[in-house]
Amino acid sequence: MTKTRFMLLLWILVGVLLISITFAVMLGSVGITPRIIWEILFAKLGIPVETSASRAQAIIIWEIRLPRVLLAALVGASLAICGAAIQALVKNSIADPYILGVSSGASVGATVVILLGAFSALGMYALSLAAFLGAISAVAMVFLLARVNGRTSVIRLLLAGIAISMVFSAITNFMLMMSKQQGGIQAVMHWMLGSLAGAKWSNIAIPFGTLLVVFILLFMNYRQLNALLLGEESAGTLGVNIDRFRIFIIIFVSLLTGVVVAVSGSIGFVGLIIPHLVRMVVGSNYKYVLPTSALVGSIFLVWADMVARIVIAPEEMPIGIITAVCGGPFFIWMLRKRRYSFGEGE
Amino acid sequence: MILLQVESISYSISDKQILDDISFSVAQGQFIGVIGPNGSGKSTMLKIIYRHLKQTSGLVTLFEKDLLQFPQKELAQNIAVVSQEAPVLFDFTVKELVMMGRTPYKKWLASDKNEDYAIVSDSMRLANITHLANRYFSELSGGEKKRVLLARALAQQANILILDEPTNHLDIEHQYQLMDLVRELPITIVAALHDLNLAAGYCDELLVMKDGALFQSGTPEEVLTKETLQEVFRVNAFVSKNPFTEKLHLFFYTEQ
């Protein structure tokens, strides 16, 4: 991949993202033209334009539809770059951002709030906060279990992730089994499969800020991420302080994944397939993989959310079902391609 | 000038002694060969020198400074390694892999400068892989892969190059090509070698290892004697001279 071709690809993806966002905002029971959307956007950004939009249209676009579409883009980008970074961290192509226990930890937090009414003093923020705390405590446990003699072992990290996920899932299932509230159980199921319906300007600020910080930090270290793919020994001889760098990735990736899961539930598959799809096109160099994954991830999730909104309208399908249904067959198609090795090398 | 000093290092895993009280020094510009049978501790000793493993006791100094005190980046600017195994997860082009040799010189966000591209293309030319620049690493043959890893190590512009059995899996032409290439480099080399005739032909000094200890050291003429080969490698050898290179040459035979 040459630099000019990469820049071209990047601009094309930015264009596709903007068009996808416009489409997604247009979609709904109140018909809105693309022209009106951009007029309102420019007006809100302080650029004076003449607009024919009504006040109702402006509210629907600005307060309801746009936050949701932007959250979809943010979540998609976050999960995709976290997946790419985690795959380098554990040097394993089947890894996804949830492999360190984030989603099962978050599920316990969410279930406690929905079924047992914990943190009710916090009102609408209780669910996100509990999910975030659950996610971070699960990762902290996995991390501590994987430390031996002051070093983080990759295989222990993976196995501890599986063990902690099993324990936390058991806790969630136990609470679900013991619960008598049908509505509550349904709400937990809905949450676990992911939804972007709760998007507001007030709750997309934190994911946006975290995504920005984590993306910049990872991108600044793309050389180290590349070196990790060569193995622990080679990365060390290339000047990477392996242990410190691993801790760095674990902290920031878990932080971003935790924040995203807290607002949208654990949307599966995005963090696994997007990095692979991107490598098929741009190669393995993280200098290209990270920005491309962010854009492709956000485009994918914007479209997945559109499908989630219309497929059983006026009901909403949990977005996790859409990502799995669209992602699965596509991933199988990739598996059958010869040219892409999924990191097997030979 | 002494670059690297190894002072009575030992290494053990739980109760098993792998290396036992090894001392030697490496002077600037030397080509040192490490020879010894399988399991004699050659690779372990090299791994301690490039700090992948930490010795149980003893001291390694680089420029008279404790090796363990070096920040990882500074270490990588001084010591470059071509190790035996080079698994690569996901695929990189040859050019990308050689560029990774510049990693120890890069601060956060620093881009690849013209200087880096020049060093990368020089390294590829030296290792004779310029024509492979845009190929994927996984598509290459064993010998080509070795040369790519060598080019990456060269791009590190280190003072010391450590090679762990660099001629393994190479055909005879590429064995000699690689040895010729590294001998011409203006840097200090420490290489573990299996082929004793290659060691005799290219090294200034040889370290002979047996059972984790340093059995003997000296010029090829001093250490490659009938007696040493008998005792360390358990083979009979007839020591002769290569009529073309005037270097030591060994003929091996058994009693059967």
Side-chain angles (χ1 to χ4, degrees):
Chain A
M1 182 114 274
T2 62
K3 211 167 180 169
T4 30
R5 277 179 61 190
F6 172 68
M7 289 313 289
L8 183 68
L9 175 69
L10 223 52
W11 282 114
I12 292 172
L13 288 173
V14 169
V16 173
L17 178 61
L18 290 177
I19 293 167
S20 306
I21 287 175
T22 313
F23 259 118
V25 174
M26 280 164 64
L27 192 75
S29 49
V30 180
I32 291 167
T33 62
R35 191 191 156 85
I36 289 179
I37 293 169
W38 285 98
E39 281 172 1
I40 290 168
L41 273 185
F42 281 127
K44 288 286 182 186
L45 294 171
I47 303 159
V49 280
E50 266 188 52
T51 173
S52 53
S54 68
R55 245 184 73 82
Q57 282 174 324
I59 288 171
I60 289 170
I61 290 171
W62 188 253
E63 301 295 336
I64 297 168
R65 292 192 190 168
L66 194 61
R68 174 171 186 151
V69 176
L70 290 182
L71 183 64
L74 288 176
V75 170
S78 302
L79 292 176
I81 65 164
C82 286
I86 284 278
Q87 284 166 4
L89 171 81
V90 299
K91 212 175 167 262
N92 195 321
S93 38
I94 62 159
D96 77 354
Y98 304 139
I99 205 147
L100 303 180
V102 171
S103 66
S104 51
S107 298
V108 170
T111 311
V112 166
V113 169
I114 296 171
L115 291 183
L116 309 180
F119 303 121
S120 53
L122 291 165
M124 54 182 269
Y125 296 107
L127 187 59
S128 292
L129 187 74
F132 180 73
L133 290 179
I136 294 303
S137 36
V139 175
M141 278 183 226
V142 168
F143 178 67
L144 291 176
L145 283 172
R147 295 281 290 178
V148 190
N149 299 331
R151 297 189 80 166
T152 318
S153 132
V154 163
I155 191 72
R156 279 170 205 271
L157 211 51
L158 288 169
L159 293 174
I162 291 173
I164 292 291
S165 294
M166 272 160 61
V167 172
F168 275 65
S169 303
I171 297 173
T172 306
N173 288 334
F174 175 76
M175 287 188 285
L176 285 171
M177 285 302 294
M178 299 306 282
S179 174
K180 299 275 184 297
Q181 336 159 22
Q182 266 318 313
I185 295 169
Q186 190 125 51
V188 172
M189 291 301 292
H190 234 274
W191 186 88
M192 286 203 284
L193 288 165
S195 169
L196 299 162
K200 288 181 228 36
W201 284 108
S202 61
N203 64 10
I204 68 172
I206 293 175
F208 176 71
T210 318
L211 170 63
L212 201 65
V213 170
V214 174
F215 177 81
I216 290 171
L217 286 174
L218 289 177
F219 188 68
M220 286 204 292
N221 285 284
Y222 78 85
R223 287 173 210 275
Q224 279 73 9
L225 287 164
N226 284 341
L228 271 193
L229 296 179
L230 307 181
E232 206 169 310
E233 190 173 326
S234 299
T237 67
L238 289 174
V240 179
N241 187 328
I242 304 275
D243 211 54
R244 218 165 53 190
F245 188 57
R246 280 204 180 123
I247 295 174
F248 166 87
I249 298 182
I250 291 172
I251 289 177
F252 286 101
V253 164
S254 308
L255 179 72
L256 181 56
T257 316
V259 164
V260 161
V261 169
V263 290
S264 65
S266 29
I267 299 171
F269 241 61
V270 184
L272 174 68
I273 55 168
I274 300 296
H276 285 302
L277 170 68
V278 165
R279 282 193 199 93
M280 242 166 114
V281 180
V282 303
S284 304
N285 190 343
Y286 271 76
K287 185 182 178 179
Y288 303 141
V289 169
L290 286 171
T292 317
S293 294
L295 286 168
V296 174
S298 42
I299 293 166
F300 177 68
L301 220 61
V302 167
W303 282 95
D305 186 48
M306 273 193 259
V307 176
R309 279 153 58 191
I310 56 173
V311 72
I312 48 167
E315 295 279 305
E316 266 193 30
M317 185 79 101
I319 190 168
I321 293 178
I322 307 295
T323 55
V325 165
C326 304
F330 179 72
F331 204 53
I332 291 163
W333 170 76
M334 274 178 75
L335 280 174
R336 304 293 305 166
K337 292 256 310 179
R338 261 244 184 108
R339 220 194 67 73
Y340 185 69
S341 68
F342 286 90
E344 206 175 19
E346 297 297 308
Chain B
M1 192 182 80
I2 299 295
L3 274 189
L4 186 86
Q5 182 100 35
V6 174
E7 290 167 39
S8 58
I9 53 166
S10 297
Y11 181 74
S12 45
I13 300 172
S14 51
D15 280 343
K16 193 167 158 41
Q17 184 94 353
I18 312 283
L19 293 180
D20 183 18
D21 195 27
I22 290 177
S23 301
F24 63 93
S25 59
V26 181
Q28 179 128 36
Q30 266 189 313
F31 190 156
I32 292 188
V34 184
I35 56 175
N38 292 336
S40 59
K42 302 185 296 288
S43 288
T44 308
M45 190 189 74
L46 293 184
K47 282 186 204 301
I48 287 174
I49 297 178
Y50 61 81
R51 217 175 71 179
H52 183 60
L53 296 175
K54 194 180 151 200
Q55 69 270 23
T56 322
S57 65
L59 180 69
V60 183
T61 59
L62 178 64
F63 294 115
E64 295 175 349
K65 197 175 136 191
D66 184 356
L67 192 74
L68 299 177
Q69 303 299 321
F70 277 80
Q72 198 75 35
K73 265 192 178 176
E74 207 183 318
L75 188 73
Q77 293 171 6
N78 281 293
I79 299 181
V81 182
V82 178
S83 59
Q84 278 198 59
E85 298 293 328
V88 174
L89 183 74
F90 301 124
D91 222 355
F92 288 100
T93 63
V94 168
K95 207 161 53 183
E96 284 173 332
L97 271 174
V98 179
M99 185 54 94
M100 285 189 207
R102 303 303 298 157
T103 306
Y105 295 93
K106 292 296 172 188
K107 292 207 162 63
W108 279 17
L109 275 186
S111 56
D112 301 329
K113 302 276 180 342
N114 282 337
E115 187 200 345
D116 298 309
Y117 289 112
I119 290 167
V120 166
S121 70
D122 279 351
S123 307
M124 290 200 293
R125 190 172 42 74
L126 274 174
N128 204 1
I129 53 163
T130 307
H131 59 291
L132 303 173
N134 293 314
R135 293 271 298 278
Y136 278 97
F137 187 74
S138 63
E139 299 169 356
L140 305 182
S141 72
E144 290 170 332
K145 282 181 180 170
K146 260 283 145 61
R147 284 183 286 152
V148 172
L149 298 180
L150 179 68
R152 191 182 75 202
L154 294 180
Q156 264 173 271
Q157 298 203 312
N159 292 304
I160 302 178
L161 178 61
I162 292 178
L163 308 166
D164 195 353
E165 293 183 13
T167 56
N168 235 0
H169 306 306
L170 297 193
D171 60 36
I172 191 85
E173 179 199 353
H174 287 105
Q175 288 186 17
Y176 279 91
Q177 201 182 62
L178 187 124
M179 292 302 280
D180 279 339
L181 160 72
V182 294
R183 180 173 58 184
E184 293 307 315
L185 297 171
I187 59 176
T188 311
I189 294 167
V190 181
L193 294 166
H194 248 311
D195 186 326
L196 299 179
N197 281 316
L198 278 181
Y202 286 91
C203 299
D204 307 317
E205 195 184 327
L206 294 179
L207 306 173
V208 185
M209 294 189 62
K210 184 180 187 251
D211 300 331
L214 190 59
F215 182 81
Q216 204 181 355
S217 65
T219 62
E221 285 75 15
E222 284 164 3
V223 302
L224 294 175
T225 60
K226 194 172 164 46
E227 294 72 31
T228 305
L229 292 165
Q230 175 71 258
E231 184 156 357
V232 176
F233 292 94
R234 299 178 189 288
V235 287
N236 298 307
F238 175 73
V239 182
S240 171
K241 263 204 164 43
N242 182 322
F244 298 100
T245 62
E246 293 294 308
K247 298 280 187 184
L248 211 64
H249 196 88
L250 307 170
F251 295 95
F252 301 105
Y253 61 97
T254 56
E255 296 298 348
Q256 286 171 356

